[in-house]
Amino acid sequence: MTILKASNITKSYGNFKALKDFSLEIESGDIVALLGPNGAGKTTFVKSILGLLQIDSGEIELFGKSSKDVSARDKLVYLPEKFSFYSYFTVIDTLKFYASMYNKENDQVDYNHYLKLLSIEELRDKKLNSLSKGQMQRLGIACTLIGDQDFIILDEPFSGLDPIGIKEVKDICISLKEKNKTLLINSHILAEMERVANRVIILNKGVVERTGTMQEILEEDTLENVFYKIIKGEG
Ligand SMILES: Nc1ncnc2c1ncn2[C@@H]1O[C@H](COP(=O)(O)OP(=O)(O)O)[C@@H](O)[C@H]1O
Ligand SMILES: [Mg+2]
């Protein structure tokens, strides 16, 4: 099943074109790495899919429906680049709030499972204003997973995490793949993406420079080397 079909997306901020004729199809079970240097247009694309930004031209379909139809977004969830929530909420109350947004009753959700999965059990009753950046990121990922959605969009999920956190999130992504979830991950942490994703899109200055399966890319060179050559214009 096609989960996302984005055709010829163009998006400008004033006179500046952030996305130029961007197209992408994602099939069920794909783990897609959307890679690109800072300012490439990754977040702009994700926000366009979600209807958080108005595109200039192009078409976006989610689960076979136009993205203009709000119900097209029923089965997706998005972790923004910088997760934030009310500072006076505790970790557990934030998780409960997110679960309620997915119409889950408290007795339907194993909160301890999510707290443990992200290694934030000890933060359970802490207020968000006392959490570090990496701890907030862990909570953001827990909130993203709690609805058990089919299509998961993660914008820089490794941002702010320590090496243990990076490994944990990478393992979570691999376990989501085993559950046949579909993931779109924006990142510039290439070594992690090499292990997680099965498809790659390299975006630079709003233009798709390269698409392929991870296997095709790795037959050529490491992901880091392929990325570097393309971005430096040597590819
Ligand atoms: N609200 C905005 N107004 C003007 N320019 C923006 C805005 N948001 C992003 N941009 C510009 O669009 C380009 C792409 O940004 P973004 O999508 O955030 O890139 P990425 O996520 O790949 O780092 C950048 O050059 C950025 O400065
Ligand atoms: Mg971004």
Side-chain angles (χ1 to χ4, degrees), residues 26 49-50 83-85 89 138:
I26 298 182
I49 302 174
L50 297 158
F83 176 77
S84 61
F85 200 64
F89 264 57
R138 284 166 186 262

Side-chain angles (χ1 to χ4, degrees), residues 11-14 16-19 34-47 53 81 155-156 186 188 203 205-206:
K11 166 71 193 168
S12 310
Y13 298 105
F16 175 75
K17 272 201 174 161
L19 287 176
L34 177 56
L35 310 175
N38 295 326
K42 304 181 297 296
T43 297
T44 299
F45 177 63
V46 162
K47 288 189 173 167
L53 284 177
E81 250 176 327
D155 197 349
E156 307 286 355
N186 285 356
H188 40 228
L203 189 63
K205 297 181 183 161

Side-chain angles (χ1 to χ4, degrees), residues 8-22 41 44-45 47-48 52-58 206:
N8 311 101
I9 306 303
T10 299
K11 166 71 193 168
S12 310
Y13 298 105
N15 293 329
F16 175 75
K17 272 201 174 161
L19 287 176
K20 299 168 199 162
D21 206 26
F22 183 106
T44 299
F45 177 63
K47 288 189 173 167
S48 304
L52 296 173
L53 284 177
Q54 185 97 33
I55 54 176
D56 308 342
S57 58

Side-chain angles (χ1 to χ4, degrees), residues 60-94:
I60 300 172
E61 281 181 19
L62 290 162
F63 296 90
K65 291 182 184 174
S66 163
S67 67
K68 289 178 190 144
D69 179 346
V70 178
S71 71
R73 291 176 231 149
D74 280 354
K75 292 185 204 154
L76 71 77
V77 62
Y78 158 62
L79 174 72
E81 250 176 327
K82 191 172 178 294
F83 176 77
S84 61
F85 200 64
Y86 298 108
S87 58
Y88 53 85
F89 264 57
T90 62
V91 164
I92 186 67
D93 287 342
T94 307

Side-chain angles (χ1 to χ4, degrees), residues 95-113:
L95 272 179
K96 285 182 177 170
F97 180 89
Y98 271 81
S100 72
M101 287 207 295
Y102 295 106
N103 298 317
K104 303 224 178 231
E105 302 291 333
N106 275 338
D107 58 4
Q108 284 182 302
V109 186
D110 182 356
Y111 292 103
N112 283 333
H113 165 75

